[in-house]
């Protein structure tokens, strides 16, 4: 089986996120951000169902059942839908695609750090370090350069 490094997968996911936001914002310009979110999630659900079906045909799951999934874990679709709606709205503003993605990166980083510090949603607790502050400053600086540098 093909093994890819997590870094390559993360880079690919980032590229797909930018592509998704661009396509959803295009759809939102012809309809609305809410309709764009419905269409994106409908197509995503259908595609995920297809992948699940294909994977199920290829091999049976051998992983033993572990503890049950917490109920709050099923709420992940809510932030996903809001992300699509808000991204479609911001991309069609003066902020643009790269500015929207830059600020989303800042938000993801800050929330990830807060989750680590407070152990939110079952994550392992980790102390905030000066390196974390440096990371946030670098991301914010790069985001500001992307947004405020004239084209």
């Amino acid at each position: 089986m093909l093994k890819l490094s997590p870094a390559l997968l993360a880079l690919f996911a980032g590229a797909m996120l930018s592509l998704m936001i661009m396509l959803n914002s295009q759809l939102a310009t012809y309809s609305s951000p809410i309709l764009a979110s419905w269409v994106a999630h409908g197509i995503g659900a259908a595609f995920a169902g297809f992948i699940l079906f294909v994977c199920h045909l290829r091999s049976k799951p051998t992983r033993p059942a572990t503890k049950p999934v917490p109920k709050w874990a099923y709420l992940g679709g809510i932030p996903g839908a809001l992300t699509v709606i808000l991204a479609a709205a911001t991309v069609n503003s003066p902020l643009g695609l790269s500015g929207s993605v830059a600020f989303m990166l800042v938000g993801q980083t800050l929330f990830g750090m807060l989750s680590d510090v407070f152990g939110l949603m079952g994550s392992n607790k980790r102390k905030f370090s000066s390196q974390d502050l440096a990371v946030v400053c670098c991301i914010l600086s790069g985001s500001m350069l992307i947004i405020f540098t004239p084209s």
Side-chain angles (χ1 to χ4, degrees):
M1 173 167 246
L2 181 65
K3 293 275 186 177
L4 295 173
S5 76
L8 286 177
L9 290 174
L11 285 172
F12 182 72
M16 290 296 101
L17 178 65
S18 294
L19 180 64
M20 177 201 76
I21 291 169
M22 183 190 67
L23 293 173
N24 289 339
S25 69
Q26 286 295 317
L27 180 59
T29 59
Y30 295 103
S31 58
S32 73
I34 294 174
L35 179 64
S37 179
W38 275 102
V39 170
H41 282 83
I43 291 170
F47 189 67
F50 172 75
I51 291 173
L52 186 64
F53 177 73
V54 168
C55 289
H56 182 70
L57 289 178
R58 291 185 65 193
S59 66
K60 298 288 183 194
T62 57
R63 191 171 53 156
T66 58
K67 59 185 175 181
V69 176
K71 301 286 187 243
W72 56 262
Y74 291 102
L75 298 176
I78 294 171
L82 289 173
T83 298
V84 172
I85 292 169
L86 295 173
T90 61
V91 169
N92 293 322
S93 73
L95 196 55
L97 177 63
S98 58
S100 295
V101 172
F103 274 142
M104 283 191 279
L105 176 63
V106 171
Q108 289 173 349
T109 304
L110 290 174
F111 185 77
M113 288 180 181
L114 283 175
S115 295
D116 286 345
V117 169
F118 295 110
L120 301 177
M121 295 170 278
S123 66
N124 294 329
K125 285 189 176 184
R126 190 176 72 83
K127 290 185 180 187
F128 189 78
S129 68
S130 58
Q131 183 179 0
D132 293 333
L133 183 61
V135 166
V136 170
C137 289
C138 287
I139 293 173
L140 277 172
S141 300
S143 298
M144 294 304 141
L145 285 173
I146 288 170
I147 294 164
F148 295 116
T149 302
S151 301

